[in-house]
Structures are given as C-alpha cells and as structure tokens.
Amino acid sequence: MADLSAFPISARWPATHPDLLQLYSAPTPNGVKVSIMLEETGLPYEPHYINIGENETWTEPYLSLNPNGKIPSIVDPDGPGGKPFGLFESGAILLYLAEKTRKFLPVDPAARYETIQWVFFQMAAIGPMFGQVGFFHKFAGREYEDKRPRDRYVAESRRLLGVLETRLANRKWIMGDEYTIADISLLGWVRNLVGFYEAGELVGFDSFKAVKVWLDHGLARPAVQRGLEIPSRG
C-alpha cells in the first residue's frame, strides 16, 4: 500500500484507496479538465471535493501541495520512478497524464508540440478572458456601473472565439480527426461561457458555427459528461 504521509493534504482529505491517483478538485472549468482526462483514459483515481466557497484551497494542507491555491491538484502514488508525486496546474497535469497513459497526445513530435500550443492557448488566453467575462456578467462585477471593463473582456473573448472558429473550420477536433488534450483543456471553458456564465448572447456565440459543432461533439462524449460532475459537490 502506498504511503502518502509525506503529503499533508492526505491528512486533511484522507485517501480511502491510497494506491490510486488522488484528485483534489471541484467541478470548475479548470477542475473538470483533469476529471474528464481521467475518465477518458480510464486511469483509476479517487476524487476529493475541495470546497472553494469555504476557502478550502487557502488552508495549509491544500497550499502544501498547491502553493497557488487554485483547483485542481493531484498526488500520484505511482509517479516518476514509482514514487509518490504531487502536481498542480491543470495544463501540467493534463500533459503528465497524457504522457503517463500515452493517450490523447500525438506521438509525432510536430503534432505533439502543436497540441501543446493549444493547451497553452487555453491557459494563457481562453481561461483568463472567459473567467473575467463570468465575473463581470454573472458575479460581483455585474453591479459595476462602468461597463468598459466588461466590454473589454467581451470583445477579447469574441476575438478568441474567432481564433477557435478559424482553427475548427473543416476540423472535428482541434487537431483534426484526433481528439486530444487540446480539446479536453478547452471544452469546460467554452461550456461555462455559454452555460454557467450565461454569456452566449453577450459574446455572439451563435455566430461561431464551427465552435458550436465542436462543443456539441465534445459534450456528447460519455467521459466528458461524467467528468463534468466530478468531484461531486455532495
């Protein structure tokens, strides 16, 4: 049986099955990237719900694993060299799981780096911009009388959707016929923008036909549907 005692997070959220990969997360756009990936690969894991509303990401046990205090994080009892290994940042976790399972990341070097660039595109552009639209449209920012900040993020989000639209023209997935971690990294964010954030009309989502088709294809995958609800909020 794996010994996870070196990770203080395991005392706060104890593992029932310490030999399985431990996922510390919540069903946010960043969180579901990893749960979808785990469901897609079939890699056994144990999820732990981290309550953002209760500020659990800012507790010492969570910060001991993820000093950035964000969702998600993992501890893999069978990490590199067979030793327990902790990791945070969703993009890094996707790459790690892809390489561990040899799934959803092309073997060809050029295609591999092309896939990684789209993961970085999500992390550096889509995620931050869509998140700001959510803040100014659905959350506290909607009370601000000055709509210029909101409009700035809306305009940039439209531009980014245009980048995706161009990429997905005549493609089923970001990399063409092959479903990869690039798609997994993006699905939750686009879904949130038009669903949870209720910003579809605001950004003119219906005009991005190829993105809509791609989103429908992604959401039709059973592993995606399962991953969107993991970890359960209880």
Side-chain angles (χ1 to χ4, degrees), residues 77-85 96:
D78 183 28
K83 299 178 181 179
F85 176 65
Y96 173 73

Side-chain angles (χ1 to χ4, degrees), residues 21-49 71-74 90-91 93-94 97 104 179 184-185 187-188 191 221-233:
L21 184 145
Q22 304 295 304
L23 171 66
Y24 307 94
S25 189
T28 67
N30 282 331
V32 300
K33 280 187 278 186
V34 176
S35 56
I36 289 170
M37 180 65 172
L38 289 164
E39 289 293 313
E40 291 279 17
T41 62
L43 187 68
Y45 68 102
E46 180 177 355
H48 302 272
Y49 174 59
I71 296 295
S73 304
I74 65 169
S90 57
I93 296 171
L94 284 184
L97 295 174
F104 307 114
Y179 175 79
I184 293 171
S185 74
L187 283 167
R191 173 181 176 266
R221 296 177 69 91
V224 172
Q225 284 298 311
R226 293 193 302 270
L228 290 172
E229 303 298 329
I230 298 172
S232 171
R233 289 182 171 89

Side-chain angles (χ1 to χ4, degrees), residues 31 196 199 208:
F196 183 65
F208 300 99

Side-chain angles (χ1 to χ4, degrees), residues 9 21 39 58 64 79 84 92 111 114 121 124 137 152 162 196 205 222 226 230 234:
I9 196 170
L21 184 145
E39 289 293 313
W58 302 111
S64 69
E114 190 176 355
F121 169 75
H137 183 62
R152 187 267 180 188
F196 183 65
F205 186 72
R226 293 193 302 270
I230 298 172

Side-chain angles (χ1 to χ4, degrees), residues 28 47 79 99 148 174 185:
T28 67
E99 293 183 340
R148 287 175 295 179
I174 294 292
S185 74

Side-chain angles (χ1 to χ4, degrees), residues 114-115 118 164 167-168 171-176 178 180 182-183 186 214:
E114 190 176 355
T115 303
W118 287 101
L164 282 181
R167 177 64 180 183
L168 289 165
R171 294 172 183 262
K172 182 176 182 179
W173 305 113
I174 294 292
M175 291 301 295
E178 186 176 356
T180 68
D183 303 287
L186 286 158
W214 163 84

